[in-house]
C-alpha cells in the first residue's frame, strides 16, 4: 500500500491491500518537500526527503478503509511484522515509510 501525494496536494491511499510494499509516493521532485510536509500534516511526520513516520490512526481513519474490518486486522498484522525491524515508533504510534519521488 502507499500514501500518494498528488501534484495538486491531495492525499489518497492506493494499492491498499498490498501490505508488503509500504511507502509514500509523491508526484514531483524533492523540491516539493515543504509542500508534502503540509499535505501530510496529521497523517505523517516527514523526516527528510527519504523517510517519514505515518501515524497508525491516520491510516485506520482513511475513508478508503475505515469500515473494512479485514483491512484493519491486516494492518495490525503488518505493524507487528514491522516491529522487530525498528519500523514502528510506539511513542509516535507510527510506522516508518520510505518516500518515493516521481516526476509526473
Amino acid at each position: 500500500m502507499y500514501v500518494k501525494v498528488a501534484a495538486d496536494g491531495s492525499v489518497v491511499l492506493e494499492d491498499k491491500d498490498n501490505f508488503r510494499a509500504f511507502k509514500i509516493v509523491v508526484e514531483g521532485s524533492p523540491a516539493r518537500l515543504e509542500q508534502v510536509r503540509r499535505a501530510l500534516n496529521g497523517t505523517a511526520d516527514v523526516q527528510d526527503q527519504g523517510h517519514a513516520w505515518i501515524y497508525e490512526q491516520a491510516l485506520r481513519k482513511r475513508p478508503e478503509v475505515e469500515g473494512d474490518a479485514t483491512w484493519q486486522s491486516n494492518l495490525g498484522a503488518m505493524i507487528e511484522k514491522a516491529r522487530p525491524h525498528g519500523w514502528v515508533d510506539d511513542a509516535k504510534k507510527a510506522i516508518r515509510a520510505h518516500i518515493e519521488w516521481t516526476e509526473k
Side-chain angles (χ1 to χ4, degrees), residues 5 13 15-16 22-23 28 34 36-37 53 57-58 64 69 77 95:
V5 181
L13 185 63
D15 197 18
K16 68 179 180 67
F22 188 64
K23 62 186 173 182
E34 290 308 314
V36 169
R37 280 190 170 121
W53 290 94
Q57 285 306 307
E64 301 94 331
I95 309 107

Side-chain angles (χ1 to χ4, degrees), residues 33 37 44-53 92 96 99:
L33 182 61
R37 280 190 170 121
D45 177 11
V46 179
Q47 299 289 295
D48 53 38
Q49 294 178 358
H51 296 94
W53 290 94
K92 290 183 182 184
R96 187 167 183 186
I99 301 173

Side-chain angles (χ1 to χ4, degrees), residues 49-71:
Q49 294 178 358
H51 296 94
W53 290 94
I54 300 177
Y55 302 118
E56 178 182 353
Q57 285 306 307
L59 286 174
R60 291 189 182 282
K61 300 279 185 196
R62 292 290 313 169
E64 301 94 331
V65 297
E66 187 172 21
D68 186 336
T70 300
W71 189 93

Side-chain angles (χ1 to χ4, degrees), residues 73-99:
S73 177
N74 288 339
L75 178 65
M78 182 195 84
I79 291 168
E80 289 312 307
K81 287 179 183 174
R83 188 177 305 285
H85 301 284
W87 299 334
V88 176
D89 184 325
D90 288 316
K92 290 183 182 184
K93 299 186 183 330
I95 309 107
R96 187 167 183 186
H98 75 276
I99 301 173

